[in-house]
Amino acid sequence: MAAPESGDGNNGAARMVTLISSDNTRFEVEAAAASLSQTLQLTILDGGGGGGDGIPLPNVDSATLSKVLEYCIKHAPAAANGGAPNATAVDRAELERFDNEFVNIDQSVLYSLIMAAHNLEIEGLQSLVAKKVADMIKGKSPMEIRRTLGFPDPTPEEQAEMNAHMLEYGWAYE
Amino acid sequence: MEDAQRIETSRLSIHGRTDDEHNPAAVSTGLVSTLAGHPSPATATRGFMSSSTTTPAKRAGVENSDYTVDNKRAQTQRRLTFPSLPQDIVSRITAALPFKEAVRISAVCSKLRRAWTYHPNLDLGVSATDGSVVPTIVRVRGRNAKRNQSSDRYKRMVHARRFVDMVNVILMKLQHRGFTLNRGCSKVLVALHESLMLKTASFQSRVEENLGCL
């Protein structure tokens, strides 16, 4: 990708951009980190977000945004290499360890994260959270899944629907 | 090629029946295109950033009714629950599950009913891929298949029958989504069907409809 290099070619310091969360908190990050978001990358390539102007993100609150940026900053160097083979096994193991710890959080925070990642189009973060939620569901019965995901107890109709489904899709329960 | 073209048409004919209030415009592109599995990222881009990225002059903090509404929404997003997630995110999560589990989760609630049809990989289990089905079928074609119901052969035939039933249900459901099989898959399925001599008319017509011609 051309994005990470394009911003800071003229001087030594990395180009910084400012992001503004829905509750008006300003976050200053390296353009390379923010560019992990496909949406932000376009704005940044257009020269937005620098100087006094920030990029407002009206759908992301500051708690979520700081978490998102934590991910981006950690993953920016690897993304700049474009997955080139010069990333050592140690680096990759470290990133993996970071990822595992990163998603070890409350469910509602996970959902805010995946919403933000979806809206900002941060592919890696979306997959990471989706995988985490999938792991929470894996190997559970429909009833256990309901409880895990915080659904209310099923009404008799819903229960009947569930049973009908289990009959229709018997092969999926083997 | 022709197959590619048909798949393209099918994409266009998807109707957004599973859309919800959060996400009226989103039609996921995570369409299953072959039985062999064909990863397709479920990314639906919407106008989330449009107001902020295209008009950088509209800064945060400006007293603007749009902004206040957005802000309110952001506050309520603080405690998000699974049921409040938009369909394309749900599909993304189910896509990270093994195929059968993704089907299983559709029992959980009506919102998840069709989530599995976005699954990028139609993994029908070992029996479909390890080649064991074909020799099994060849063997059960012989006479007196029912003579000894406890025989291995009979069990395998029942197994193969259930496999066909499963594929049948899947095809039926996917057809609602404008799904088409590619030619190779259909041939395998029809061959499978014929060699089983199961005169399940609905199954055959389903495959033929999907393929158009053989």
Side-chain angles (χ1 to χ4, degrees):
Chain A
M1 291 280 177
E5 294 93 274
S6 63
D8 52 354
N10 44 5
N11 53 24
R15 182 183 158 195
M16 303 297 279
V17 291
T18 306
L19 308 176
I20 305 166
S21 68
S22 63
D23 41 1
N24 259 330
T25 314
R26 298 174 76 92
F27 292 84
E28 212 186 339
V29 288
E30 281 184 22
S35 293
L36 253 62
S37 152
Q38 296 287 306
T39 345
L40 288 177
Q41 190 182 61
L42 291 177
T43 317
I44 292 166
L45 283 177
D46 280 351
D53 288 346
I55 304 172
L57 302 174
N59 286 359
V60 188
D61 63 47
S62 57
T64 309
L65 186 56
S66 69
K67 196 85 181 133
V68 168
L69 292 177
E70 187 189 337
Y71 174 90
C72 290
I73 290 166
K74 192 79 188 173
H75 280 260
N81 286 339
N86 59 353
T88 65
V90 181
D91 286 343
R92 262 178 277 133
E94 158 65 13
L95 262 192
E96 205 170 298
R97 190 200 56 79
F98 168 85
D99 282 353
N100 285 339
E101 231 160 76
F102 184 77
V103 289
N104 202 1
I105 44 173
D106 193 62
Q107 251 188 67
S108 67
V109 184
L110 276 180
Y111 300 144
S112 310
L113 266 182
I114 199 170
M115 287 284 272
H118 178 71
N119 290 330
L120 292 167
E121 294 178 69
I122 306 171
E123 182 52 37
L125 183 55
Q126 275 197 79
S127 330
L128 177 65
V129 180
K131 185 162 183 317
K132 169 72 180 177
V133 179
D135 284 345
M136 289 167 18
I137 299 170
K138 216 174 254 181
K140 294 193 162 127
S141 72
M143 209 47 201
E144 288 167 330
I145 294 173
R146 284 189 74 103
R147 291 205 190 98
T148 310
L149 298 182
F151 283 87
D153 279 342
T155 62
E157 295 85 56
E158 283 175 319
Q159 186 64 55
E161 260 183 59
M162 268 164 78
N163 294 343
H165 182 279
M166 288 166 85
L167 273 183
E168 187 184 5
Y169 293 91
W171 47 266
Y173 293 88
E174 284 160 9
Chain B
M1 299 262 291
E2 205 185 322
D3 287 338
Q5 209 174 354
R6 195 170 292 120
I7 289 163
E8 213 35 61
T9 329
S10 73
R11 275 174 199 270
L12 294 174
S13 66
I14 298 172
H15 34 80
R17 239 201 285 160
T18 49
D19 290 345
D20 64 14
E21 72 277 9
H22 292 284
N23 210 358
V27 175
S28 172
T29 56
L31 182 69
V32 186
S33 51
T34 72
L35 277 177
H38 189 86
S40 51
T43 50
T45 315
R46 301 190 320 282
F48 161 73
M49 292 276 299
S50 56
S51 68
S52 49
T53 52
T54 54
T55 56
K58 189 168 134 191
R59 296 233 216 101
V62 177
E63 274 310 309
N64 170 313
S65 61
D66 276 1
Y67 178 72
T68 340
V69 170
D70 282 342
N71 201 356
K72 218 178 268 170
R73 202 187 303 149
Q75 296 299 320
T76 54
Q77 274 178 8
R78 252 209 193 131
R79 292 224 42 99
L80 275 176
T81 58
F82 189 88
S84 66
L85 292 177
Q87 188 70 54
D88 41 358
I89 291 184
V90 170
S91 303
R92 210 172 158 121
I93 292 169
T94 51
L97 286 165
F99 180 65
K100 280 191 179 179
E101 296 229 19
V103 174
R104 242 182 275 168
I105 196 189
S106 54
V108 169
C109 79
S110 55
K111 187 172 172 188
L112 294 171
R113 201 70 79 217
R114 265 184 291 277
W116 70 269
T117 58
Y118 292 97
H119 201 279
N121 194 354
L122 258 182
D123 168 18
L124 300 177
V126 228
S127 58
T129 50
D130 66 0
S132 66
V133 168
V134 178
T136 304
I137 289 160
V138 174
R139 290 174 65 182
V140 298
R141 278 183 79 177
R143 288 157 292 142
N144 305 327
K146 271 190 191 165
R147 187 190 280 164
N148 183 356
Q149 300 215 342
S150 63
S151 74
D152 229 27
R153 182 187 279 185
Y154 181 78
K155 277 187 205 141
R156 281 202 223 115
M157 190 174 85
V158 169
H159 182 73
R161 236 177 222 273
R162 278 161 81 193
F163 174 73
V164 168
D165 285 348
M166 172 176 82
V167 175
N168 203 1
V169 170
I170 292 172
L171 284 179
M172 196 168 66
K173 301 284 169 182
L174 289 180
Q175 219 178 5
H176 293 308
R177 305 272 335 266
F179 162 86
T180 48
L181 287 173
N182 73 16
R183 183 178 288 255
C185 284
S186 306
K187 274 193 174 154
V188 170
L189 285 177
V190 170
L192 188 70
H193 174 258
E194 281 172 354
S195 57
L196 273 170
M197 293 183 292
L198 296 176
K199 296 296 171 207
T200 328
S202 63
F203 176 78
Q204 194 153 25
S205 65
R206 190 94 52 208
V207 173
E208 277 161 9
E209 261 173 59
N210 269 302
L211 187 63
C213 62
L214 256 176

